[in-house]
Amino acid sequence: SIVGAAPAATLHFQATEQWADFTVASGETDWYGLFGIPDDLNTMFAQAYENGSRVHTNSWGSNVAGQYTASCQQADQAAYTYQDLVILFAAANEGVDDNLDGEIDEDSMGSPATAKNVITVGASENDRSTLPTSSNTYMLSNWGNDYGEPIASDLTGGDPDGMAAFSSRGPTDDNRQKPEVTAPGTWILSTRSRSTADGGWLAYDSNHVYMGGTSMATPIAAGATALLLEHLIENEGLADPTSYLVKAILGASTYDMAGQYGSPTNGAGEAIPNMHEGNGRLNMYSAVQTLSLIHI
């Protein structure tokens, strides 16, 4: 059977993407957009917290190239107000190699991912080299001509020590390290909406598709966070663990990715922490061992 990282979790959905029916002078321009996001994000976080949520995962944002915005300030305020609410944001998918030199450019982080008190998640490659379909084996594609070699011909999956080329990179414009952590974000088997015939990256069945993006990596990190909170509360006897403790544990227990190009100065090949993978890829086995090393 197909299950997620935290299959017993109870979910509280907030409908941030909504269909808007616009009529303007030039004609109808109707589309889906993030019209459900409140002007003040504290409203959204307060509702989730009051309904019992302690992990808030967000796969949305705006392309601001590392700026700290009003949305960032609101997310930081919420993290301060609700200190046992772990807020996660996708780093964004603006990773580019504009000069085609074979290295992903820095400074492409989105907002509110640039906030200080949230956990920002980058995307690594999933550990797949082939994909099953109903009739044959689907070989993974490569990143393509928008990137220089060796990135261009690198497969989009199959090397868990490598970053997804699209994953946005730090630092922030005020020179803070981002992202904090990395999780698999290519060829993720995800749920499929019954409201669309869209097959994502590749259709799997009527209920699931393969998808990719930091929007896929972030829910994986959120599921891992829920499991860590369960461990801290039930096994370690910690009531209401703070997001700061969770952030410290996840950051201290990561796996240093070796990179996919055989270079210690390219992408995830750099020593951690770096502006590509952050502190590294999530490692939940190490995370549950880390508490004993942290003085509380």
Side-chain angles (χ1 to χ4, degrees), residues 102-104 123-126 143 150-151 154-155 157-165 169 182 255-272 274 276-281:
E103 296 189 20
I104 300 299
S124 60
E125 287 188 16
N126 202 354
W143 291 114
I151 303 172
D154 179 47
L155 295 180
D159 188 349
D161 270 322
M163 291 294 294
R169 318 296 165 117
T182 297
Y255 169 79
D256 184 2
M257 295 159 58
Q260 64 265 64
Y261 310 122
S263 170
T265 60
N266 193 345
E270 298 178 15
I272 56 172
N274 60 63
H276 303 273
E277 65 186 301
N279 291 296
R281 195 179 68 231

Side-chain angles (χ1 to χ4, degrees), residues 91-104:
N93 304 322
E94 303 298 330
V96 295
D97 177 19
D98 276 341
N99 60 3
L100 301 179
D101 67 349
E103 296 189 20
I104 300 299

Side-chain angles (χ1 to χ4, degrees), residues 107-151:
D107 192 23
S108 57
M109 194 64 50
S111 166
T114 47
K116 299 175 181 179
N117 298 327
V118 306
I119 297 176
T120 302
V121 185
S124 60
E125 287 188 16
N126 202 354
D127 189 13
R128 300 190 194 273
S129 57
T130 59
L131 290 174
T133 67
S134 58
S135 60
N136 61 0
T137 299
Y138 180 90
M139 296 303 297
L140 300 174
S141 61
N142 55 40
W143 291 114
N145 295 328
D146 290 336
Y147 303 92
E149 293 294 353
I151 303 172

Side-chain angles (χ1 to χ4, degrees), residues 23-155:
T23 301
V24 294
S26 58
E28 291 188 355
T29 55
D30 304 337
W31 66 87
Y32 280 106
L34 299 180
F35 306 116
I37 296 175
D39 291 337
D40 186 345
L41 298 186
N42 285 283
T43 303
M44 178 176 68
F45 295 121
Q47 182 197 63
Y49 189 86
E50 290 164 4
N51 279 273
S53 298
R54 293 301 179 264
V55 180
H56 199 288
T57 180
N58 297 270
S59 290
W60 60 271
S62 59
N63 179 16
V64 299
Q67 295 179 32
Y68 187 90
T69 66
S71 293
C72 296
Q73 189 278 328
Q74 293 163 7
D76 281 338
Q77 178 62 49
Y80 178 79
T81 302
Y82 309 108
Q83 296 192 11
D84 55 339
L85 175 66
V86 184
I87 301 172
L88 301 98
F89 271 95
N93 304 322
E94 303 298 330
V96 295
D97 177 19
D98 276 341
N99 60 3
L100 301 179
D101 67 349
E103 296 189 20
I104 300 299
D105 305 334
E106 293 187 349
D107 192 23
S108 57
M109 194 64 50
S111 166
T114 47
K116 299 175 181 179
N117 298 327
V118 306
I119 297 176
T120 302
V121 185
S124 60
E125 287 188 16
N126 202 354
D127 189 13
R128 300 190 194 273
S129 57
T130 59
L131 290 174
T133 67
S134 58
S135 60
N136 61 0
T137 299
Y138 180 90
M139 296 303 297
L140 300 174
S141 61
N142 55 40
W143 291 114
N145 295 328
D146 290 336
Y147 303 92
E149 293 294 353
I151 303 172
S153 58
D154 179 47
L155 295 180

